Tab-separated table of all heavy atoms in Angstrom:
chain	number	residue	atom	x	y	z
A	1	ILE	N	-4.590	-8.627	-18.657
A	1	ILE	CA	-4.579	-9.029	-20.008
A	1	ILE	C	-3.727	-8.078	-20.744
A	1	ILE	O	-2.837	-8.515	-21.565
A	1	ILE	CB	-5.972	-9.192	-20.553
A	1	ILE	CG1	-6.704	-10.318	-19.897
A	1	ILE	CG2	-5.891	-9.371	-22.115
A	1	ILE	CD1	-8.165	-10.542	-20.165
A	2	LEU	N	-3.969	-6.836	-20.610
A	2	LEU	CA	-3.111	-5.720	-21.219
A	2	LEU	C	-1.780	-5.834	-20.763
A	2	LEU	O	-0.774	-5.680	-21.640
A	2	LEU	CB	-3.700	-4.311	-20.840
A	2	LEU	CG	-3.038	-3.171	-21.342
A	2	LEU	CD1	-2.956	-3.152	-22.880
A	2	LEU	CD2	-3.590	-1.839	-20.884
A	3	ALA	N	-1.394	-6.066	-19.534
A	3	ALA	CA	-0.078	-6.172	-19.127
A	3	ALA	C	0.699	-7.489	-19.750
A	3	ALA	O	1.820	-7.120	-20.158
A	3	ALA	CB	-0.019	-6.412	-17.596
A	4	VAL	N	0.064	-8.427	-19.944
A	4	VAL	CA	0.729	-9.632	-20.681
A	4	VAL	C	0.902	-9.256	-22.118
A	4	VAL	O	1.989	-9.632	-22.713
A	4	VAL	CB	-0.184	-10.951	-20.421
A	4	VAL	CG1	0.350	-11.992	-21.329
A	4	VAL	CG2	-0.040	-11.359	-19.089
A	5	ILE	N	-0.011	-8.559	-22.672
A	5	ILE	CA	0.216	-8.206	-24.103
A	5	ILE	C	1.402	-7.332	-24.233
A	5	ILE	O	2.278	-7.366	-25.107
A	5	ILE	CB	-1.079	-7.541	-24.710
A	5	ILE	CG1	-2.188	-8.604	-24.833
A	5	ILE	CG2	-0.802	-6.785	-25.982
A	5	ILE	CD1	-3.615	-8.041	-25.097
A	6	LEU	N	1.420	-6.331	-23.333
A	6	LEU	CA	2.670	-5.401	-23.192
A	6	LEU	C	3.939	-6.063	-23.047
A	6	LEU	O	4.902	-5.827	-23.633
A	6	LEU	CB	2.534	-4.333	-22.175
A	6	LEU	CG	1.385	-3.323	-22.410
A	6	LEU	CD1	1.037	-2.547	-21.202
A	6	LEU	CD2	1.605	-2.489	-23.694
A	7	ASN	N	4.037	-7.202	-22.147
A	7	ASN	CA	5.149	-8.085	-21.966
A	7	ASN	C	5.557	-8.665	-23.274
A	7	ASN	O	6.786	-8.613	-23.680
A	7	ASN	CB	4.845	-9.133	-20.992
A	7	ASN	CG	4.974	-8.857	-19.591
A	7	ASN	OD1	4.161	-9.111	-18.693
A	7	ASN	ND2	6.098	-8.150	-19.175
A	8	TYR	N	4.685	-9.286	-23.974
A	8	TYR	CA	4.992	-9.890	-25.328
A	8	TYR	C	5.461	-8.934	-26.289
A	8	TYR	O	6.345	-9.157	-27.068
A	8	TYR	CB	3.835	-10.725	-25.784
A	8	TYR	CG	3.727	-12.040	-25.038
A	8	TYR	CD1	2.539	-12.345	-24.311
A	8	TYR	CD2	4.641	-13.044	-25.107
A	8	TYR	CE1	2.395	-13.536	-23.766
A	8	TYR	CE2	4.602	-14.275	-24.505
A	8	TYR	CZ	3.378	-14.580	-23.741
A	8	TYR	OH	3.229	-15.721	-23.130
A	9	ALA	N	4.859	-7.635	-26.324
A	9	ALA	CA	5.210	-6.626	-27.356
A	9	ALA	C	6.700	-6.235	-27.071
A	9	ALA	O	7.337	-5.893	-28.221
A	9	ALA	CB	4.288	-5.554	-27.182
A	10	ARG	N	7.163	-6.018	-26.031
A	10	ARG	CA	8.501	-5.507	-25.840
A	10	ARG	C	9.487	-6.571	-25.242
A	10	ARG	O	10.553	-6.081	-24.795
A	10	ARG	CB	8.468	-4.349	-24.897
A	10	ARG	CG	7.534	-3.250	-25.565
A	10	ARG	CD	7.697	-1.962	-25.422
A	10	ARG	NE	8.991	-1.368	-25.525
A	10	ARG	CZ	9.170	-0.141	-24.980
A	10	ARG	NH1	8.259	0.611	-24.385
A	10	ARG	NH2	10.451	0.483	-24.974
A	11	ARG	N	9.198	-7.786	-25.255
A	11	ARG	CA	9.993	-8.812	-24.756
A	11	ARG	C	11.467	-8.877	-25.324
A	11	ARG	O	12.408	-9.093	-24.593
A	11	ARG	CB	9.357	-10.158	-24.933
A	11	ARG	CG	9.843	-11.348	-24.138
A	11	ARG	CD	9.071	-12.553	-24.350
A	11	ARG	NE	9.362	-13.634	-23.385
A	11	ARG	CZ	8.780	-14.760	-23.430
A	11	ARG	NH1	7.811	-15.082	-24.258
A	11	ARG	NH2	9.266	-15.725	-22.590
A	12	SER	N	11.519	-8.706	-26.687
A	12	SER	CA	12.881	-8.749	-27.231
A	12	SER	C	13.684	-7.594	-26.910
A	12	SER	O	15.064	-7.679	-26.968
A	12	SER	CB	12.670	-8.788	-28.712
A	12	SER	OG	12.017	-7.499	-29.185
A	13	GLU	N	13.182	-6.495	-26.455
A	13	GLU	CA	13.951	-5.307	-26.132
A	13	GLU	C	14.647	-5.393	-24.782
A	13	GLU	O	15.624	-4.832	-24.387
A	13	GLU	CB	13.027	-4.082	-26.087
A	13	GLU	CG	12.567	-3.607	-27.360
A	13	GLU	CD	11.580	-2.475	-27.314
A	13	GLU	OE1	11.903	-1.537	-26.571
A	13	GLU	OE2	10.482	-2.562	-28.007
A	14	VAL	N	14.162	-6.408	-23.884
A	14	VAL	CA	14.839	-6.550	-22.531
A	14	VAL	C	15.738	-7.740	-22.586
A	14	VAL	O	16.343	-7.977	-21.552
A	14	VAL	CB	13.699	-6.759	-21.464
A	14	VAL	CG1	12.951	-5.431	-21.452
A	14	VAL	CG2	12.878	-7.932	-21.683
A	15	ARG	N	15.972	-8.491	-23.650
A	15	ARG	CA	16.870	-9.588	-23.676
A	15	ARG	C	18.252	-9.196	-23.318
A	15	ARG	O	18.751	-8.087	-23.644
A	15	ARG	CB	16.896	-10.297	-24.990
A	15	ARG	CG	15.749	-11.106	-25.349
A	15	ARG	CD	16.099	-12.276	-26.077
A	15	ARG	NE	14.864	-13.164	-26.061
A	15	ARG	CZ	13.823	-12.985	-26.837
A	15	ARG	NH1	13.895	-11.992	-27.782
A	15	ARG	NH2	12.775	-13.664	-26.839
A	16	GLY	N	18.856	-10.001	-22.359
A	16	GLY	CA	20.222	-9.844	-21.882
A	16	GLY	C	20.280	-8.946	-20.654
A	16	GLY	O	21.398	-8.781	-20.062
A	17	SER	N	19.202	-8.407	-20.146
A	17	SER	CA	19.127	-7.588	-19.049
A	17	SER	C	18.417	-8.258	-17.883
A	17	SER	O	17.674	-9.253	-18.108
A	17	SER	CB	18.520	-6.161	-19.315
A	17	SER	OG	17.091	-6.332	-19.437
A	18	TYR	N	18.373	-7.803	-16.705
A	18	TYR	CA	17.697	-8.275	-15.608
A	18	TYR	C	16.228	-8.170	-15.843
A	18	TYR	O	15.462	-8.998	-15.290
A	18	TYR	CB	17.958	-7.773	-14.257
A	18	TYR	CG	17.697	-6.380	-14.010
A	18	TYR	CD1	16.467	-5.967	-13.349
A	18	TYR	CD2	18.427	-5.296	-14.445
A	18	TYR	CE1	16.054	-4.669	-13.095
A	18	TYR	CE2	18.048	-3.954	-14.201
A	18	TYR	CZ	16.904	-3.747	-13.487
A	18	TYR	OH	16.532	-2.367	-13.278
A	19	LEU	N	15.791	-7.303	-16.596
A	19	LEU	CA	14.244	-7.138	-16.995
A	19	LEU	C	13.782	-8.344	-17.710
A	19	LEU	O	12.558	-8.605	-17.581
A	19	LEU	CB	14.035	-5.881	-17.775
A	19	LEU	CG	14.351	-4.456	-17.108
A	19	LEU	CD1	14.020	-3.380	-17.976
A	19	LEU	CD2	13.562	-4.369	-15.759
A	20	GLU	N	14.557	-9.016	-18.360
A	20	GLU	CA	14.049	-10.254	-19.073
A	20	GLU	C	13.621	-11.241	-18.076
A	20	GLU	O	12.419	-11.907	-18.318
A	20	GLU	CB	15.325	-10.907	-19.818
A	20	GLU	CG	14.840	-12.179	-20.654
A	20	GLU	CD	15.988	-12.755	-21.391
A	20	GLU	OE1	17.146	-12.377	-21.201
A	20	GLU	OE2	15.761	-13.625	-22.167
A	21	ALA	N	14.260	-11.362	-16.924
A	21	ALA	CA	13.644	-12.217	-15.911
A	21	ALA	C	12.323	-11.696	-15.357
A	21	ALA	O	11.400	-12.476	-14.994
A	21	ALA	CB	14.616	-12.411	-14.744
A	22	HIS	N	12.131	-10.386	-15.218
A	22	HIS	CA	10.844	-9.767	-14.766
A	22	HIS	C	9.700	-10.023	-15.745
A	22	HIS	O	8.616	-10.423	-15.411
A	22	HIS	CB	11.000	-8.361	-14.513
A	22	HIS	CG	11.703	-8.050	-13.296
A	22	HIS	ND1	11.091	-8.024	-12.018
A	22	HIS	CD2	12.915	-7.726	-13.007
A	22	HIS	CE1	11.924	-7.785	-11.086
A	22	HIS	NE2	13.066	-7.544	-11.633
A	23	PHE	N	10.094	-9.950	-17.109
A	23	PHE	CA	9.033	-10.180	-18.118
A	23	PHE	C	8.551	-11.687	-18.009
A	23	PHE	O	7.370	-11.937	-18.103
A	23	PHE	CB	9.602	-9.926	-19.422
A	23	PHE	CG	9.404	-8.384	-19.853
A	23	PHE	CD1	9.759	-7.387	-18.895
A	23	PHE	CD2	8.871	-8.039	-21.070
A	23	PHE	CE1	9.546	-6.111	-19.280
A	23	PHE	CE2	8.752	-6.720	-21.459
A	23	PHE	CZ	9.090	-5.735	-20.547
A	24	ARG	N	9.588	-12.561	-17.860
A	24	ARG	CA	9.287	-14.027	-17.807
A	24	ARG	C	8.387	-14.316	-16.493
A	24	ARG	O	7.460	-15.062	-16.503
A	24	ARG	CB	10.591	-14.805	-17.709
A	24	ARG	CG	10.328	-16.386	-17.823
A	24	ARG	CD	11.713	-17.001	-18.040
A	24	ARG	NE	12.760	-16.711	-16.920
A	24	ARG	CZ	13.831	-16.131	-17.382
A	24	ARG	NH1	14.035	-15.694	-18.614
A	24	ARG	NH2	14.684	-15.724	-16.480
A	25	TRP	N	8.791	-13.692	-15.433
A	25	TRP	CA	8.120	-13.752	-14.095
A	25	TRP	C	6.651	-13.406	-14.283
A	25	TRP	O	5.716	-14.032	-13.855
A	25	TRP	CB	8.826	-12.904	-13.059
A	25	TRP	CG	8.338	-12.790	-11.646
A	25	TRP	CD1	7.403	-12.004	-11.090
A	25	TRP	CD2	8.661	-13.770	-10.628
A	25	TRP	NE1	7.228	-12.238	-9.811
A	25	TRP	CE2	7.967	-13.380	-9.519
A	25	TRP	CE3	9.491	-14.838	-10.490
A	25	TRP	CZ2	8.142	-13.919	-8.310
A	25	TRP	CZ3	9.687	-15.427	-9.254
A	25	TRP	CH2	8.937	-15.025	-8.152
A	26	GLN	N	6.400	-12.153	-14.918
A	26	GLN	CA	5.005	-11.568	-15.053
A	26	GLN	C	4.237	-12.575	-16.001
A	26	GLN	O	3.031	-12.811	-15.680
A	26	GLN	CB	5.103	-10.183	-15.706
A	26	GLN	CG	5.750	-9.263	-14.620
A	26	GLN	CD	6.175	-7.882	-15.276
A	26	GLN	OE1	6.368	-7.878	-16.531
A	26	GLN	NE2	6.212	-6.824	-14.530
A	27	ILE	N	4.865	-12.969	-17.126
A	27	ILE	CA	4.119	-13.853	-18.065
A	27	ILE	C	3.673	-15.110	-17.302
A	27	ILE	O	2.515	-15.561	-17.477
A	27	ILE	CB	4.941	-14.020	-19.444
A	27	ILE	CG1	4.969	-12.608	-20.220
A	27	ILE	CG2	4.382	-15.073	-20.234
A	27	ILE	CD1	6.012	-12.604	-21.236
A	28	ARG	N	4.638	-15.773	-16.752
A	28	ARG	CA	4.428	-16.995	-16.086
A	28	ARG	C	3.391	-16.950	-15.019
A	28	ARG	O	2.598	-17.832	-14.763
A	28	ARG	CB	5.729	-17.597	-15.561
A	28	ARG	CG	6.565	-18.169	-16.680
A	28	ARG	CD	7.847	-18.767	-16.092
A	28	ARG	NE	8.601	-19.335	-17.212
A	28	ARG	CZ	9.736	-20.038	-17.067
A	28	ARG	NH1	10.328	-20.108	-15.767
A	28	ARG	NH2	10.406	-20.427	-18.031
A	29	THR	N	3.408	-15.863	-14.219
A	29	THR	CA	2.436	-15.670	-13.148
A	29	THR	C	1.075	-15.665	-13.828
A	29	THR	O	0.075	-16.359	-13.236
A	29	THR	CB	2.626	-14.226	-12.396
A	29	THR	OG1	4.075	-14.285	-11.854
A	29	THR	CG2	1.588	-14.005	-11.348
A	30	PHE	N	0.845	-14.900	-14.940
A	30	PHE	CA	-0.440	-14.872	-15.621
A	30	PHE	C	-0.900	-16.228	-16.086
A	30	PHE	O	-1.970	-16.643	-15.757
A	30	PHE	CB	-0.354	-13.816	-16.743
A	30	PHE	CG	-1.704	-13.723	-17.434
A	30	PHE	CD1	-2.690	-12.971	-16.984
A	30	PHE	CD2	-1.958	-14.449	-18.669
A	30	PHE	CE1	-3.921	-12.847	-17.662
A	30	PHE	CE2	-3.125	-14.433	-19.303
A	30	PHE	CZ	-4.183	-13.593	-18.768
A	31	TRP	N	-0.075	-16.911	-16.889
A	31	TRP	CA	-0.416	-18.239	-17.459
A	31	TRP	C	-0.587	-19.253	-16.500
A	31	TRP	O	-1.459	-20.201	-16.612
A	31	TRP	CB	0.533	-18.489	-18.545
A	31	TRP	CG	0.416	-17.596	-19.817
A	31	TRP	CD1	1.296	-16.762	-20.314
A	31	TRP	CD2	-0.723	-17.541	-20.716
A	31	TRP	NE1	0.789	-16.175	-21.319
A	31	TRP	CE2	-0.537	-16.688	-21.632
A	31	TRP	CE3	-2.009	-18.113	-20.598
A	31	TRP	CZ2	-1.332	-16.245	-22.600
A	31	TRP	CZ3	-2.963	-17.799	-21.597
A	31	TRP	CH2	-2.676	-16.859	-22.579
A	32	PHE	N	0.315	-19.387	-15.487
A	32	PHE	CA	0.170	-20.363	-14.469
A	32	PHE	C	-1.092	-20.117	-13.532
A	32	PHE	O	-1.800	-21.084	-13.153
A	32	PHE	CB	1.403	-20.554	-13.559
A	32	PHE	CG	2.448	-21.493	-14.153
A	32	PHE	CD1	3.620	-20.808	-14.733
A	32	PHE	CD2	2.324	-22.752	-14.221
A	32	PHE	CE1	4.558	-21.588	-15.169
A	32	PHE	CE2	3.300	-23.580	-14.799
A	32	PHE	CZ	4.371	-23.058	-15.364
A	33	ALA	N	-1.380	-18.933	-13.276
A	33	ALA	CA	-2.732	-18.682	-12.540
A	33	ALA	C	-3.851	-19.190	-13.274
A	33	ALA	O	-4.792	-19.770	-12.846
A	33	ALA	CB	-2.887	-17.170	-12.219
A	34	LEU	N	-3.843	-18.897	-14.675
A	34	LEU	CA	-5.008	-19.405	-15.523
A	34	LEU	C	-4.944	-20.917	-15.576
A	34	LEU	O	-6.074	-21.530	-15.391
A	34	LEU	CB	-4.830	-18.778	-17.022
A	34	LEU	CG	-5.830	-19.268	-17.893
A	34	LEU	CD1	-7.261	-18.941	-17.572
A	34	LEU	CD2	-5.517	-18.756	-19.322
A	35	LEU	N	-3.811	-21.552	-15.767
A	35	LEU	CA	-3.783	-23.093	-15.704
A	35	LEU	C	-4.310	-23.597	-14.404
A	35	LEU	O	-5.084	-24.523	-14.491
A	35	LEU	CB	-2.266	-23.463	-15.853
A	35	LEU	CG	-2.133	-24.949	-15.731
A	35	LEU	CD1	-2.700	-25.666	-16.925
A	35	LEU	CD2	-0.553	-25.240	-15.610
A	36	TRP	N	-3.874	-22.981	-13.149
A	36	TRP	CA	-4.241	-23.655	-11.962
A	36	TRP	C	-5.716	-23.456	-11.831
A	36	TRP	O	-6.468	-24.247	-11.128
A	36	TRP	CB	-3.366	-22.972	-10.747
A	36	TRP	CG	-2.152	-23.656	-10.812
A	36	TRP	CD1	-0.983	-22.959	-10.912
A	36	TRP	CD2	-1.766	-24.901	-10.719
A	36	TRP	NE1	0.068	-23.741	-10.990
A	36	TRP	CE2	-0.298	-25.027	-10.825
A	36	TRP	CE3	-2.425	-26.165	-10.706
A	36	TRP	CZ2	0.399	-26.272	-10.757
A	36	TRP	CZ3	-1.701	-27.301	-10.737
A	36	TRP	CH2	-0.300	-27.381	-10.710
A	37	MET	N	-6.415	-22.325	-12.281
A	37	MET	CA	-7.781	-22.146	-12.134
A	37	MET	C	-8.649	-23.125	-12.990
A	37	MET	O	-9.685	-23.597	-12.718
A	37	MET	CB	-8.249	-20.737	-12.449
A	37	MET	CG	-7.659	-19.789	-11.363
A	37	MET	SD	-7.807	-20.449	-9.608
A	37	MET	CE	-9.667	-20.556	-9.464
A	38	CYS	N	-7.975	-23.365	-14.291
A	38	CYS	CA	-8.696	-24.419	-15.130
A	38	CYS	C	-8.700	-25.686	-14.491
A	38	CYS	O	-9.614	-26.467	-14.538
A	38	CYS	CB	-7.925	-24.393	-16.448
A	38	CYS	SG	-8.302	-22.926	-17.531
A	39	VAL	N	-7.457	-26.132	-13.891
A	39	VAL	CA	-7.338	-27.420	-13.183
A	39	VAL	C	-8.331	-27.472	-12.127
A	39	VAL	O	-9.058	-28.457	-11.840
A	39	VAL	CB	-5.965	-27.725	-12.630
A	39	VAL	CG1	-5.884	-28.785	-11.800
A	39	VAL	CG2	-4.961	-27.822	-13.880
A	40	ALA	N	-8.461	-26.338	-11.290
A	40	ALA	CA	-9.406	-26.308	-10.132
A	40	ALA	C	-10.835	-26.525	-10.617
A	40	ALA	O	-11.685	-27.211	-9.951
A	40	ALA	CB	-9.347	-25.068	-9.382
A	41	ALA	N	-11.174	-25.867	-11.715
A	41	ALA	CA	-12.534	-26.125	-12.423
A	41	ALA	C	-12.708	-27.484	-12.757
A	41	ALA	O	-13.823	-28.011	-12.590
A	41	ALA	CB	-12.598	-25.135	-13.551
A	42	LEU	N	-11.836	-28.183	-13.465
A	42	LEU	CA	-11.940	-29.478	-13.876
A	42	LEU	C	-12.095	-30.538	-12.683
A	42	LEU	O	-12.794	-31.431	-12.645
A	42	LEU	CB	-10.780	-29.905	-14.732
A	42	LEU	CG	-10.698	-29.327	-16.102
A	42	LEU	CD1	-9.417	-29.664	-16.897
A	42	LEU	CD2	-11.938	-29.783	-17.003
A	43	VAL	N	-11.355	-30.138	-11.683
A	43	VAL	CA	-11.424	-31.081	-10.391
A	43	VAL	C	-12.820	-30.840	-9.771
A	43	VAL	O	-13.477	-31.718	-9.198
A	43	VAL	CB	-10.315	-30.785	-9.551
A	43	VAL	CG1	-10.475	-31.536	-8.162
A	43	VAL	CG2	-8.996	-31.301	-10.146
A	44	SER	N	-13.211	-29.561	-9.626
A	44	SER	CA	-14.385	-29.189	-8.899
A	44	SER	C	-15.715	-29.540	-9.618
A	44	SER	O	-16.688	-29.799	-8.852
A	44	SER	CB	-14.347	-27.668	-8.666
A	44	SER	OG	-13.233	-27.289	-7.862
A	45	LEU	N	-15.723	-29.611	-10.928
A	45	LEU	CA	-17.061	-29.855	-11.652
A	45	LEU	C	-17.605	-31.188	-11.235
A	45	LEU	O	-18.750	-31.210	-10.934
A	45	LEU	CB	-16.871	-29.748	-13.142
A	45	LEU	CG	-18.116	-29.752	-13.880
A	45	LEU	CD1	-19.042	-28.763	-13.668
A	45	LEU	CD2	-17.706	-29.782	-15.457
């Protein structure tokens, strides 16, 4: 959770560099993992 907050906090500073893709990769990993677990919970209930 802290890592994602840190990603969002400095996201604008990495624009135009290869680090922008890393920030997007890290943020999407977090949010998609949460999404897939919510879907799994809805299907499993």
Side-chain angles (χ1 to χ4, degrees):
I1 293 171
L2 176 62
V4 170
I5 292 169
L6 292 172
N7 275 134
Y8 282 116
R10 303 215 33 207
R11 194 175 190 183
S12 63
E13 295 176 44
V14 298
R15 279 220 173 82
S17 72
Y18 71 94
L19 294 180
E20 182 177 10
H22 283 280
F23 274 46
R24 186 172 51 250
W25 181 268
Q26 292 166 336
I27 290 169
R28 286 182 178 180
T29 301
F30 179 84
W31 288 115
F32 275 107
L34 179 60
L35 172 70
W36 288 119
M37 291 318 301
C38 289
V39 169
L42 288 173
V43 169
S44 299
L45 185 61

